[in-house]
Amino acid sequence: MSGGGDDDEHLKPATRLVRGGRRPEWTGPVVNPPVWRASTHLYASDAERREAGKSNTDGQFFYGRRGAPTQWALAEALTQIEPSAHGTVLYPSGVAAIAGCLLAVLKPGDRLLMADNSYDPSRGMATGLLKRLGVETTFFDPLDLDAYRALFAQPVKAVWLESPGSLTFEVCDIPALAPIAREHGAVSLIDNTWASPLGLAALSHGCDITMMSLSKHVGGHSDLMMGSASAGERWYRALRRTAQDLGQVVSPDDAALAARGLRTMGVRLEAQTRAALRIAEWLERQPQVAQVLCPMLPSAPGHELWRRDFTGGCGLFGFVLASDDRAAAARVVDALDLFGIGYSWGGFESLALATAPQDYRCVMRSPDAAGPAIRLSIGLEDPDDLIADLAQALAQMETA
């Protein structure tokens, strides 16, 4: 078996998920790359040590911070499922990946545009760490192309996107937003954790850097923390250099877990997407629900963009309750039996979280999403059981 070569470029995504990163020199006679736990790499001679230092690439033994076959195989597999990517850098968490991307692009005095519906830790990084480093951030409405374009009247170094948007799941026009940034010499970055490259080929749609929290769909079992960023050659090298400057490295044990999860990510996403769409359609018909925030629904405002640009979905979406009582969301979540209450998503188990989207916006205002809201991550349970659980929890709103 030979895997991970250029000859695999013609293969479908599902086949790449199975084959990616499985080079014979990394796996030996077994299916998966072994877990290489090593800080020190040894050399046969001093001349060999000096020669190794000349090649800062995956596949070259040097020192544990640069990884070994376990990490290299995962990075290569992720690159192979990301159309137009030259390489992928691994980070110890999704937030570390966000920081690594932004620090690879920005320097003091630069200006960043950040979509107002971005993940809260991304927002916090812009208003915290980056601000302390002298980077100015302007939040913008990614659904207003004219207002967005006007922001380039003054220099912009980078644009941070997320689609669908965090908590409210708006779909923005990536093939329009990214070229506008490039036209003005700005770098476009996207948090593509919701869709993954299986659902949105972000680099092929014009973005320069795409990142994911591998803790979600790739890991798939709620037992690891990791992030990644993929890019074309120029920005991949900048990402790699910055990650090494910061001493970023992932555990080989976690890399093995992520690689194992990657092999089944496609079938899990398909099952969770089907279940999520069925549950979202059911929620639309419930009198206790004011709005379902799910771009996969034909009734969703951004559904046409989702159909045009995306090739898949996932199990994460939200809904707004028909109530003026902000505590109603917490009561519904507390009444659920089959949904865990917790952060993260994308695992095999379903989760529910009471949210307040408007607390995390400074530009966008969505009256439809102003009520008490709940975010659901649909796992691999039978959707009939999840619907029954939601029905009994929603029924308790009427007796509260």
Side-chain angles (χ1 to χ4, degrees):
M1 183 269 180
S2 64
D6 292 339
D7 58 336
D8 285 355
E9 291 183 359
H10 68 284
L11 297 174
K12 301 292 187 182
T15 308
R16 293 190 187 196
L17 284 173
V18 171
R19 289 172 57 88
R22 294 171 55 203
R23 297 191 186 196
E25 62 266 35
W26 294 346
T27 62
V30 299
V31 172
N32 296 303
V35 179
W36 290 64
R37 300 185 186 94
S39 57
T40 299
H41 298 172
L42 297 177
Y43 306 92
S45 66
D46 190 62
E48 182 180 285
R49 176 190 64 82
R50 292 196 303 272
E51 187 65 24
K54 298 177 182 178
S55 176
N56 184 357
T57 59
D58 284 355
Q60 173 64 63
F61 284 97
F62 180 76
Y63 183 64
R65 267 200 319 273
R66 292 191 188 172
T70 317
Q71 294 101 324
W72 301 335
L74 173 60
E76 183 171 270
L78 291 168
T79 300
Q80 289 177 328
I81 64 168
E82 185 72 66
S84 303
H86 177 81
T88 297
V89 176
L90 304 176
Y91 302 85
S93 71
V95 170
I98 294 169
C101 289
L102 292 168
L103 292 175
V105 172
L106 297 164
K107 66 181 185 303
D110 284 341
R111 181 166 170 245
L112 167 69
L113 302 183
M114 179 169 283
D116 197 36
N117 53 1
S118 295
Y119 179 46
D120 184 43
S122 301
R123 298 175 63 89
M125 199 165 296
T127 59
L129 174 64
L130 293 180
K131 183 178 181 180
R132 294 195 299 273
L133 294 177
V135 174
E136 176 191 348
T137 298
T138 300
F139 291 95
F140 70 96
D141 182 347
L143 306 182
D144 189 339
L145 284 176
D146 291 336
Y148 166 75
R149 188 184 291 275
L151 292 173
F152 290 90
Q154 297 190 357
V156 173
K157 182 59 182 289
V159 176
W160 185 267
L161 302 167
E162 184 170 345
S163 186
S166 182
L167 300 181
T168 42
F169 302 97
E170 302 93 345
V171 178
C172 62
D173 192 342
I174 298 296
L177 293 162
I180 291 172
R182 187 167 295 176
E183 174 189 334
H184 291 87
V187 183
S188 57
L189 309 94
I190 185 170
D191 182 337
N192 196 31
T193 304
W194 187 91
S196 86
L198 301 185
L200 178 68
L203 300 181
S204 298
H205 280 51
C207 294
D208 296 301
I209 298 173
T210 178
M211 62 78 49
M212 284 192 293
S213 170
L214 305 185
S215 312
K216 277 68 172 180
H217 302 316
V218 172
H221 295 78
S222 302
D223 55 5
L224 71 91
M225 300 289 289
M226 198 179 297
S228 69
S230 302
E233 185 172 4
R234 175 190 176 189
W235 289 111
Y236 165 69
R237 297 195 183 285
L239 291 167
R240 184 182 181 93
R241 181 175 61 252
T242 302
Q244 291 179 353
D245 287 345
L246 294 172
Q248 298 279 25
V249 64
V250 304
S251 154
D253 295 83
D254 284 347
L257 285 175
R260 184 179 66 176
L262 185 69
R263 308 306 178 189
T264 63
M265 181 173 74
V267 293
R268 285 187 285 104
L269 276 174
E270 288 177 5
Q272 290 168 321
T273 300
R274 284 195 305 270
L277 184 56
R278 183 175 167 195
I279 293 168
E281 290 170 342
W282 177 84
L283 283 167
E284 274 196 310
R285 301 192 297 269
Q286 305 314 302
Q288 304 96 334
V289 175
Q291 185 185 17
V292 180
L293 309 173
C294 178
M296 299 181 293
L297 285 174
S299 59
H303 179 70
E304 291 304 317
L305 286 176
W306 182 81
R307 284 189 59 191
R308 185 193 72 185
D309 298 336
F310 288 69
T311 53
C314 76
L316 189 75
F317 69 96
F319 65 98
V320 182
L321 295 171
S323 173
D324 295 327
D325 181 4
R326 290 192 65 169
R331 289 198 300 272
V332 171
V333 168
D334 286 346
L336 292 166
D337 293 323
L338 299 181
F339 291 79
I341 303 173
Y343 296 107
S344 199
W345 38 275
F348 62 87
E349 81 294 0
S350 291
L351 298 173
L353 194 68
T355 65
Q358 294 304 327
D359 291 349
Y360 302 95
R361 304 286 186 268
C362 57
V363 178
M364 303 175 73
R365 295 290 177 229
S366 176
D368 292 336
I374 295 173
R375 188 184 74 178
L376 298 180
S377 174
I378 304 303
L380 296 175
E381 302 91 345
D382 191 295
D384 286 340
D385 291 333
L386 297 177
I387 287 173
D389 193 26
L390 286 162
Q392 65 83 21
L394 289 171
Q396 296 189 35
M397 279 183 61
E398 300 170 1
T399 60

